[in-house]
Amino acid sequence: MILVDYRPESSGLLQICCRSASRTCRSKLHAQAGARICCPNLQTEIAGAHIPADNSSCDRQSESMSQNSSIASHSTTTGLAALLRYAATQHGVISAAEAANFDVSRAQLRSGTRRGDWLTPHSGVLISAAAPATWMQRCMVATQRTGGLISHRAAARLHGLDGFHGSESGTRGSSSSSGRGVGESALIELTVPDSRSRAVGDFLIHRTCVLAPEDCTVTAGIAVTSIARTLVDLGAVVSDDRVEQALDDAIRRGYSLRWITETLDRVDRPGPSGCASLRRVLARPDRQGPIPDSMFERSMERMAVAGGMPQPERQFRVYDGLGSTHGGLGILVAQLDAAWPAAKLGVEAHSARWHDGNRRGRADQRRDNRLAGLGWELLYLSWWDLQHPATFQSDLAAAYSLRC
């Protein structure tokens, strides 16, 4: 582009500006009859002009413009890098409102979307194409879109509660709005205030009129209901046994039962909710004493009682009675999942997780031999026995009657 500024008061002085994509050249030219000028950048001839020998002004301005262009380019690159780093802390997800806090223009984001650098699963939500598609990423998208909290089964999985584990990989947009036909491992559930918009999109939405700040926390960068609130909500969508499984795990991990019950009392309202389920679980008579190491052990205990056995002692410790350790009890030989000390009879829940492998097998054998030397008998229960309890119940009752 060539701009010509004619100034009559300057005795025919012409201001000619020759601009290219790389630099801007300005030269003051004196009009002379018959003279010609050739602009090397634009390959354009202008009649009636003469190029002076001194180009120092042009060079200085070219360098200044080049520096400004470099600074602008660096600022843009830095802004995009900061945006990507922030998105990486959120599983590759960022909202349009968050993106506005960075030195990146909307035009740059639109250009990146057209190139495929950013995905837009929903209005106002961006996903970095470089980030892996995971279930957690879908949770992040859900919270960004709705402003709600991950809750219920999805919250239990996010907290890693026992019984709610699933595959971490996922496919973008693979869930349905109602949650029907979607496996639990792919399900996204959220809780939002009752007054919030009823648009549900690809997620299963629960509404509540009780959502206090203490019910909210952040796990893996994702807004989610607290452990206590999750346990209160779970009973609305799963069985009492699964609520108890998650409750036991939370207590084993050190979460306060008092905190859980206080949350239950605060949230409890008439109408459908998980509160009644958690109250039934807490009221079960066999919940006294130590918490079992797994739901497998609790189910084993209940199966034995259902077969006519008295209530066993949970996590019972057997000592050899030799030496002065443990207050004169001697050396610890075993800690049994369930035991009837009067009959010196114990039961171990035998799962692949804790008992498979050569090393574990040899350790179990040494322990069993030492128990036998102390007069104890130990029976093993497998998952198959738990599903078909009649035979094991008969064997356990026979062993108990012989030893009493």
Side-chain angles (χ1 to χ4, degrees):
M1 176 175 62
I2 301 176
L3 302 180
V4 180
D5 180 15
Y6 174 67
R7 301 180 183 179
E9 68 275 16
S10 303
S11 303
L13 184 67
L14 292 178
Q15 176 75 29
I16 299 181
C17 178
C18 304
R19 294 183 180 176
S20 68
S22 60
R23 64 174 185 161
T24 300
C25 300
R26 297 174 184 270
S27 301
K28 291 184 177 180
L29 308 176
H30 291 279
Q32 294 181 358
R36 297 174 64 83
I37 175 175
C38 177
C39 175
N41 290 326
L42 301 179
Q43 298 298 315
T44 304
E45 291 186 348
I46 303 176
H50 171 68
I51 302 177
D54 186 8
N55 291 327
S56 59
S57 175
C58 175
D59 292 341
R60 284 194 299 271
Q61 286 197 315
S62 296
E63 291 174 2
S64 176
M65 292 300 294
S66 177
Q67 289 175 357
N68 291 340
S69 176
S70 176
I71 292 171
S73 176
H74 177 72
S75 176
T76 298
T77 302
T78 302
L80 284 172
L83 179 64
L84 287 169
R85 284 195 298 270
Y86 181 77
T89 67
Q90 302 188 144
H91 307 278
V93 181
I94 192 168
S95 68
E98 290 173 326
N101 297 324
F102 295 84
D103 191 14
V104 178
S105 67
R106 293 183 179 180
Q108 289 171 319
L109 291 176
R110 287 195 296 269
S111 177
T113 301
R114 287 194 296 270
R115 289 195 307 269
D117 297 338
W118 295 96
L119 307 176
T120 53
H122 303 289
S123 176
V125 180
L126 299 170
I127 300 178
S128 171
T134 64
W135 177 82
M136 284 190 178
Q137 184 183 85
R138 293 180 54 233
C139 286
M140 195 75 204
V141 169
T143 59
Q144 291 280 15
R145 183 185 180 190
T146 65
L149 302 174
I150 299 297
S151 64
H152 296 73
R153 287 162 289 188
R157 176 181 172 184
L158 197 55
H159 287 303
L161 293 176
D162 190 20
F164 293 91
H165 304 292
S167 174
E168 193 55 40
S169 62
T171 303
R172 295 184 179 105
S174 62
S175 63
S176 68
S177 61
S178 67
R180 296 173 183 171
V182 178
E184 186 174 294
S185 63
L187 183 64
I188 305 292
E189 289 180 279
L190 300 100
T191 290
V192 299
D194 192 50
S195 60
R196 194 68 59 85
S197 167
R198 301 191 66 83
V200 297
D202 299 331
F203 320 113
L204 180 57
I205 302 293
H206 302 273
R207 289 176 171 79
T208 181
C209 58
V210 184
L211 194 61
E214 54 264 40
D215 293 330
C216 312
T217 188
V218 175
T219 298
I222 302 170
V224 60
T225 53
S226 67
I227 289 277
R229 180 58 190 265
T230 299
L231 292 169
V232 171
D233 292 336
L234 267 179
V237 291
V238 300
S239 66
D240 289 2
D241 286 344
R242 294 192 69 190
V243 172
E244 184 174 37
Q245 184 175 359
L247 174 64
D248 285 351
D249 186 41
I251 295 174
R252 280 194 300 270
R253 288 158 59 175
Y255 292 98
S256 168
L257 181 59
R258 178 179 178 181
W259 172 51
I260 295 169
T261 55
E262 286 177 350
T263 302
L264 173 61
D265 293 337
R266 175 173 53 81
V267 173
D268 201 357
R269 295 290 188 280
S273 70
C275 297
S277 175
L278 184 56
R279 289 198 184 280
R280 288 193 299 269
V281 168
L282 292 171
R284 287 178 171 178
D286 60 354
R287 287 197 57 82
Q288 303 300 318
I291 298 296
D293 285 342
S294 68
M295 196 62 187
F296 185 16
E297 293 180 15
R298 191 179 284 283
S299 299
M300 174 193 68
E301 178 185 312
R302 288 174 176 164
M303 183 267 288
V305 173
M309 295 289 291
Q311 186 71 34
E313 292 194 33
R314 196 177 296 149
Q315 300 299 318
F316 184 78
R317 294 185 175 187
V318 179
Y319 298 90
D320 63 5
L322 304 175
S324 58
T325 57
H326 298 98
L329 295 175
I331 299 174
L332 178 64
V333 175
Q335 180 169 310
L336 304 178
D337 295 337
W340 292 264
K344 287 193 172 184
L345 178 63
V347 175
E348 281 282 280
H350 196 276
S351 64
R353 179 181 181 185
W354 301 112
H355 297 276
D356 271 6
N358 292 333
R359 181 176 297 179
R360 289 174 177 173
R362 288 194 298 270
D364 287 346
Q365 187 178 35
R366 288 194 299 269
R367 180 201 59 185
D368 295 351
N369 291 341
R370 295 183 67 189
L371 285 171
L374 296 172
W376 279 81
E377 182 177 354
L378 188 61
L379 303 181
Y380 283 93
L381 177 82
S382 67
W383 275 108
W384 191 92
D385 294 323
L386 197 60
Q387 300 300 319
H388 308 84
T391 301
F392 186 85
Q393 287 172 331
S394 176
D395 294 341
L396 180 62
Y400 181 78
S401 62
L402 288 174
R403 301 180 71 85
C404 285

